[in-house]
Amino acid sequence: MAVPRLVYDDECGFCMYMIRWLVRFGRFDPVGFSELTADQKARLPDGYETCMHLLTDEAVYSCGRALEECVSRCGIVGRYLVHTARLLPYSGWIRERGYRFVADRRSIWGRFRSCEHVEGSLSSSRSE
C-alpha cells in the first residue's frame, strides 16, 4: 500500500505543528493545501479547507475521523488509544466535536504551539 497523504492547512502554524508530530510518530506524506494536485483536490470533499484529511488508496478520511485514523497509525500506543476511545458511547460525536473545538480555536492554540514548515515529505512528485 502506498504511504497515506496527510492533507493540512499549510498557512496555519498550529496545524503544521500538529502535522509534524504525526509525521514524527507515523508514516505519512504531508501535503499542504497549497501543494495539492488537481487529482488530490478532486478526491476531497467540498469545503476541504475547514479541516485535515488523510488520503489512502482505499478511502478519504476528513476532520476528526482523519485525526483518529492518523493516531491509529502512530504505533501500538496510538492504536490502543483509538481502540479505547472507540469503546466510549457516542465516540464519533465526541471525536468530531473535540476536533471542531480545537480547529475553531487554532489561532489561540498557535500562540502556544506553532511552527513555520513541516519536514518529512516522502515524495518529491505530487502526482496521484
Side-chain angles (χ1 to χ4, degrees):
M1 179 169 116
V3 175
R5 291 206 168 89
L6 184 49
V7 180
Y8 66 96
D9 182 353
D10 52 355
E11 292 183 8
C12 169
F14 177 72
C15 301
M16 288 187 283
Y17 176 84
M18 296 308 297
I19 297 304
R20 280 174 95 179
W21 186 89
L22 290 168
V23 168
R24 180 178 176 196
F25 293 102
R27 189 160 185 246
F28 306 101
D29 185 12
V31 180
F33 290 158
S34 67
E35 301 173 309
L36 287 169
T37 65
D39 289 343
Q40 291 166 340
K41 283 183 184 178
R43 290 188 65 197
L44 296 173
D46 292 338
Y48 70 87
E49 300 94 345
T50 62
C51 65
M52 69 183 287
H53 308 276
L54 186 67
L55 302 176
T56 68
D57 291 340
E58 305 84 32
V60 175
Y61 303 98
S62 298
C63 305
R65 181 69 173 101
L67 180 59
E68 179 183 71
E69 188 66 28
C70 288
V71 171
S72 74
R73 295 168 184 249
C74 289
I76 193 162
V77 173
R79 284 191 298 277
Y80 178 76
L81 288 172
V82 169
H83 173 75
T84 302
R86 287 179 179 166
L87 296 175
L88 295 171
Y90 308 106
S91 63
W93 182 84
I94 293 167
R95 176 192 68 219
E96 295 305 322
R97 291 293 299 243
Y99 182 89
R100 256 319 10 116
F101 178 84
V102 173
D104 290 346
R105 292 159 182 81
R106 55 195 173 154
S107 63
I108 295 169
W109 310 125
R111 294 180 199 158
F112 304 102
R113 293 287 185 245
S114 185
C115 68
E116 295 181 10
H117 63 282
V118 174
E119 302 94 5
S121 177
L122 298 171
S123 67
S124 56
S125 116
R126 296 290 184 193
S127 61
E128 188 159 292

